[in-house]
Amino acid sequence: MPRVAITIPGKNPQPYRFQIDRKKVTVGRASDNDIIIDCSSVSSLHCTMERVEGGYILRDRHSTNGITLDQDDMAVIDLRNDNEVRVGDVKFEYTLSNDELDELDDEEFVPHAQKTSDASNEPEVEKKPEKKSNKKPKVGTPVPRPATPAPVLASSSSDSSFLYGLALFVCGILSFYAGLDHSYSGKQRNAGRENDVSLLKDMKEGRPPLSEAAKEEKTK
């Protein structure tokens, strides 16, 4: 099993051992970590020790004082026997037995080491533009409707125009009748009719014009 020894200045070393197949071990000052380091230079969650093909790596988790390898600030460290590794100000010793090293030699190891300066200079991944949704509105979603214009009500001016036209029509009829009655009355008086002669009265009583009556007398 890999052996980790934590050396805090002024305190006795704290040894830890972990199964070789364990995937991740958390390291920090908080009590919920797998490896607890009681030191003010260590963050609550400072780093993680992770199992990879061919060994272990130590990955910084945005800690305040970082992790170092041979005094170089690192974002990721490939753990090897006898490396001079520090977590904050605390010495972090990592050791594998010869049998464990032989076991890991059967695995292909890809280096993960990365300095902090290189990690900070990595280009940011460009975000893809968001696609506009072509989905139809869900049932129950209010859909704006065009405003319906208010119906136009008939104005008083249109009523006045109608009444004015009707009055002109009636006056025209009355004028026409008055002229016709005047002509009829004049012809009847010339034919010998006396008293008041009216076309309307003769029509109501069924009286024929005088000239037609005289013609009928001659035929008898």
Side-chain angles (χ1 to χ4, degrees):
M1 293 181 293
R3 182 178 182 277
V4 174
I6 304 298
T7 304
I8 303 174
K11 295 185 180 180
N12 294 327
Q14 303 178 47
Y16 296 87
R17 287 190 179 276
F18 300 96
Q19 294 292 337
I20 194 72
D21 57 354
R22 190 164 182 176
K23 296 298 183 182
K24 184 181 291 188
V25 173
T26 59
V27 181
R29 194 175 69 252
S31 60
D32 57 350
N33 289 293
D34 299 307
I35 299 178
I36 302 171
I37 303 178
D38 186 15
C39 181
S40 60
S41 67
V42 177
S43 300
S44 297
L45 174 59
H46 198 104
C47 57
T48 53
M49 191 172 75
E50 302 172 13
R51 174 73 163 91
V52 296
E53 282 290 314
Y56 274 90
I57 64 173
L58 195 67
R59 187 188 303 275
D60 182 55
R61 292 297 178 183
H62 307 288
S63 62
T64 302
N65 296 305
I67 58 176
T68 60
L69 172 63
D70 299 330
Q71 298 182 352
D72 290 329
D73 293 333
M74 303 292 290
V76 182
I77 297 174
D78 294 325
L79 292 175
R80 292 288 183 268
N81 284 357
D82 301 325
N83 282 156
E84 187 177 340
V85 177
R86 287 188 178 274
V87 176
D89 297 333
V90 176
K91 188 176 180 180
F92 185 95
E93 294 179 312
Y94 164 86
T95 307
L96 289 175
S97 66
N98 290 332
D99 291 340
E100 290 168 341
L101 289 174
D102 291 340
E103 182 181 344
L104 293 177
D105 284 341
D106 294 334
E107 301 177 6
E108 183 178 355
F109 179 76
V110 178
H112 296 74
Q114 187 178 34
K115 291 185 177 182
T116 304
S117 57
D118 295 336
S120 61
N121 292 330
E122 286 185 347
E124 295 185 1
V125 179
E126 183 178 357
K127 295 182 179 180
K128 295 181 179 180
E130 296 181 359
K131 294 181 179 180
K132 293 183 180 180
S133 176
N134 294 323
K135 294 181 180 179
K136 296 181 179 179
K138 296 181 180 179
V139 177
T141 303
V143 179
R145 296 181 179 179
T148 304
V152 179
L153 302 177
S155 61
S156 58
S157 59
S158 60
D159 294 339
S160 301
S161 299
F162 173 75
L163 294 176
Y164 180 72
L166 180 62
L168 288 178
F169 178 73
V170 173
C171 291
I173 292 177
L174 293 176
S175 298
F176 175 76
Y177 172 76
L180 189 61
D181 183 70
H182 180 73
S183 176
Y184 177 79
S185 300
K187 290 180 179 180
Q188 291 298 303
R189 288 194 182 91
N190 291 337
R193 291 276 299 274
E194 297 179 355
N195 300 326
D196 293 334
V197 180
S198 171
L199 175 62
L200 181 61
K201 184 177 179 181
D202 286 351
M203 290 176 64
K204 286 182 179 181
E205 295 177 356
R207 181 184 303 164
L210 183 59
S211 57
E212 293 183 3
K215 291 179 182 180
E216 291 178 1
E217 289 294 333
K218 291 181 180 179
T219 57
K220 291 181 181 179

